[in-house]
């Protein structure tokens, strides 16, 4: 289990001193970084852990008996144990290192789902999914003849237990859901979805890219079969993702990639595989990245995931309310109980133009479809602005954002325009 007792006060201004990137100005103003849903900034603890490994212990893992190889292997497997603890998994054998959330979800789709699906089987999703949790299932459906079924969200773009009940049937084999939407910040009832999936003999796959950085996770309490997330969204480096999977599933799956490292025995015409999790980690793994991820996990644990969740939810709801009260601003998703992200538009101004003006104010936000084009279609917009919050943000950042949006309206003047009523389903 993750240690969820806060030992270090969550004081954003004090925490920012741990992040070298904040020692700069943008356009002559202190940096306000509101793009953590895309990728989070890195504390010195992560940077130093990776540098220390490269300078003192660097070698390949599992393949040699010399001292450096032993140190590298020990550090790599210690990172796996840190992830197991963070997720509350039963065994480190249930933790597979991948390159990203996307890599993890593709592994499940191809190595687990594809051999088990056939015509008439159903894969249950939502129309709110990031493309990483939609496209792999589209491909598997085409390859196997399975059918995609979508849970219908509420008007404010939440997923309810009643809607899950309507979508899951005896034909359901896979339920694949984002724990937290990367556009609306809405939290899906994962534990309930897992119970309903298991009741019909299906498995549940969870995209935790947006929840792992912000929420306490316990995979055994949730009873999920698979869960995926990325290191770079939770203070760690890019190039490393995690797939949690129940050990019985990993043992029943054939590897997605084959090559070096993951083999037990190879002849000219045949091969056998190592035990999980190593049979899913072909080639040289992301060793330094795993070490950086461990440092990120320990940094988060020192503050406490409960404290981080409470802080981020409070800031996000504060920002959503402040923006919704600005004339001409449309905020998408639930009014309250949203996590980390606020998606919005300013009148008829394109999201990219809003982001450009905010950047001139020293404020970094995301603008675009956020790898959720079906959701943008549902909202009847080509793109939105997205502000996302993390442990290094505070109320001053929210105020800077609101003032920046007012600057956007001033800059565009008559071009600004008012949004057409009814044009934006799912908005506040």
């Amino acid at each position: 289990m993750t240690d969820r007792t806060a030992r270090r006060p969550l004081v954003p201004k004090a925490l920012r001193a741990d992040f070298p990137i904040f020692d700069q100005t943008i356009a002559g103003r202190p940096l306000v970084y509101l793009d953590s849903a895309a990728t989070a900034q890195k504390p010195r603890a992560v940077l130093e852990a990776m540098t220390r490994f490269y300078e003192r212990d660097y070698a390949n893992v599992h393949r040699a008996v010399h001292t450096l190889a032993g140190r590298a292997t020990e550090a790599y497997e210690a990172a796996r144990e840190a992830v197991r603890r963070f997720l509350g998994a039963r065994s480190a054998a249930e933790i597979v290192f991948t390159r990203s959330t996307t890599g993890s979800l593709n592994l499940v789709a191809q190595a687990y789902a594809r051999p088990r699906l056939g015509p008439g089987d159903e894969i249950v999703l939502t129309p709110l999914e990031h493309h990483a949790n939609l496209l792999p299932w589209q491909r598997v459906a085409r390859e196997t003849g399975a059918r995609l079924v979508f849970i219908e969200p509420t008007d404010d773009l939440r997923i309810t237990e009643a809607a899950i009940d309507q979508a899951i049937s005896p034909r359901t084999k896979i339920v694949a859901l984002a724990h937290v939407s990367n556009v609306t910040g809405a939290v899906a009832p994962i534990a309930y979805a897992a119970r309903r999936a298991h009741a019909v003999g299906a498995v549940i796959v969870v995209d935790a890219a947006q929840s792992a950085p912000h929420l306490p996770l316990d995979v055994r309490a949730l009873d999920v079969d698979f869960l995926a997330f990325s290191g770079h969204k939770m203070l760690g480096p890019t190039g490393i993702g995690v797939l949690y999977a129940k050990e019985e599933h990993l043992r029943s799956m054939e590897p997605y990639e084959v090559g070096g490292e993951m083999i037990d025995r190879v002849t000219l015409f045949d091969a056998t595989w190592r035990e999980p999790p190593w049979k899913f980690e072909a080639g040289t793994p992301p060793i330094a990245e795993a070490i950086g991820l461990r440092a990120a996990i320990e940094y988060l644990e020192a503050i406490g995931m409960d404290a981080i969740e409470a802080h981020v939810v409070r800031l996000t709801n504060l920002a959503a309310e402040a923006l919704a009260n600005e004339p001409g601003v449309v905020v998408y998703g639930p009014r309250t109980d949203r996590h980390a992200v606020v998606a919005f538009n300013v009148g008829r101004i394109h999201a990219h133009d809003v982001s450009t003006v905010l950047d001139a104010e020293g404020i970094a936000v995301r603008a675009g479809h956020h790898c959720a084009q079906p959701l943008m279609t549902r909202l009847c917009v080509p793109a939105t602005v997205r502000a996302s919050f993390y442990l290094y943000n505070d109320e001053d950042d929210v105020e800077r954002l609101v003032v920046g949006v007012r600057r956007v309206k001033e800059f565009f003047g008559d071009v600004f325009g008012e949004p057409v009523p009814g044009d934006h389903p799912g908005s506040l």
Side-chain angles (χ1 to χ4, degrees):
M1 295 282 290
T2 299
D3 181 358
R4 295 167 183 169
T5 302
R7 297 187 298 273
R8 181 179 180 187
L10 202 169
V11 181
K13 284 185 172 59
L15 294 180
R16 277 201 291 269
D18 296 338
F19 293 78
I21 201 161
F22 291 113
D23 296 335
Q24 65 175 304
T25 59
I26 301 293
R29 296 170 172 83
L31 169 63
V32 174
Y33 186 77
L34 301 179
D35 197 19
S36 294
T39 194
Q41 297 301 338
K42 318 304 172 195
R44 285 187 179 85
V46 170
L47 304 176
E48 290 172 355
M50 296 177 69
T51 298
R52 191 163 52 247
F53 170 69
Y54 277 125
E55 290 180 344
R56 301 191 71 249
D57 302 324
Y58 181 74
N60 215 326
V61 295
H62 300 147
R63 299 181 184 178
V65 295
H66 60 75
T67 298
L68 293 182
R71 289 182 194 166
T73 299
E74 181 179 358
Y76 181 68
E77 294 303 331
R80 196 188 310 275
E81 171 59 23
V83 175
R84 183 211 63 77
R85 183 184 67 244
F86 183 75
L87 296 177
R90 181 175 289 104
S91 166
E94 297 179 318
I95 306 301
V96 178
F97 285 130
T98 67
R99 63 178 178 81
S100 61
T101 305
T102 300
S104 297
L105 293 170
N106 274 275
L107 192 161
V108 177
Q110 290 297 316
Y112 180 84
R114 184 180 178 186
R116 291 165 173 80
L117 294 177
D121 292 335
E122 293 181 350
I123 304 167
V124 172
L125 306 160
T126 82
L128 313 179
E129 299 304 315
H130 189 284
H131 296 164
N133 199 37
L134 175 61
L135 271 60
W137 305 112
Q138 290 179 350
R139 171 181 284 180
V140 165
R142 288 193 302 268
E143 293 170 339
T144 64
R147 174 172 171 259
L148 301 181
V149 175
F150 291 93
I151 301 169
E152 183 61 25
T154 61
D155 290 342
D156 62 352
L157 303 175
R158 291 179 297 109
I159 300 301
T160 65
E161 294 179 359
I164 290 171
D165 287 339
Q166 291 181 349
I168 292 178
S169 78
R171 295 181 297 277
T172 302
K173 297 295 185 254
I174 305 286
V175 177
L177 302 177
H179 195 176
V180 174
S181 167
N182 75 308
V183 177
T184 70
V187 182
I190 294 299
Y192 182 82
R195 289 196 299 273
R196 290 291 292 114
H198 295 154
V200 297
V203 300
I204 183 166
V205 183
V206 178
D207 173 359
Q210 297 299 331
S211 60
H214 305 111
L215 308 180
L217 289 177
D218 187 326
V219 291
R220 281 185 283 178
L222 293 171
D223 196 22
V224 296
D225 296 280
F226 301 94
L227 182 141
F229 66 89
S230 295
H232 72 95
K233 295 181 189 291
M234 51 184 292
L235 308 183
T238 56
I240 186 162
V242 168
L243 174 65
Y244 158 79
K246 290 181 177 178
E247 191 169 358
E248 60 264 32
H249 296 322
L250 292 178
R251 290 190 178 280
S252 71
M253 293 161 54
E254 284 294 298
Y256 179 43
E257 295 181 313
V258 293
E261 176 64 24
M262 48 74 68
I263 57 90
D264 177 34
R265 175 179 171 274
V266 176
T267 71
L268 288 178
F269 298 100
D270 198 7
T272 57
W273 319 127
R274 296 183 70 186
E275 293 293 302
W278 303 291
K279 76 173 180 178
F280 299 102
E281 295 178 2
T284 298
I287 309 166
E289 290 80 1
I291 290 166
L293 176 58
R294 176 190 177 185
I297 286 172
E298 291 173 348
Y299 186 96
L300 294 171
E301 289 177 334
I303 297 168
M305 295 306 296
D306 283 330
I308 292 169
E309 178 185 19
H311 174 74
V312 171
V313 168
R314 184 175 60 82
L315 276 189
T316 309
N317 290 333
L318 179 67
E321 182 178 2
L323 289 168
N325 289 332
E326 280 293 310
V329 176
V330 177
V331 177
Y332 305 98
R335 179 173 290 276
T336 60
D337 194 28
R338 60 166 70 220
H339 286 63
V341 299
V342 180
F344 64 96
N345 274 316
V346 182
R348 300 182 186 279
I349 305 168
H350 195 282
H352 290 168
D353 294 325
V354 175
S355 178
T356 299
V357 175
L358 290 176
D359 185 57
E361 300 292 315
I363 303 166
V365 296
R366 203 63 157 185
H369 54 66
H370 317 301
C371 293
Q373 287 185 340
L375 177 52
M376 295 298 110
T377 299
R378 190 183 189 93
L379 296 175
C380 305
V381 296
T384 72
V385 184
R386 185 185 69 188
S388 50
F389 300 87
Y390 208 8
L391 49 82
Y392 36 63
N393 297 120
D394 60 15
E395 294 84 351
D396 291 343
D397 294 341
V398 174
E399 179 62 22
R400 286 273 304 274
L401 174 64
V402 173
V403 171
V405 167
R406 292 171 185 161
R407 173 64 181 140
V408 170
K409 293 191 285 186
E410 293 170 2
F411 182 87
F412 284 95
D414 292 340
V415 179
F416 162 55
E418 291 291 327
V420 177
D423 269 3
H424 308 286
S427 62
L428 301 189

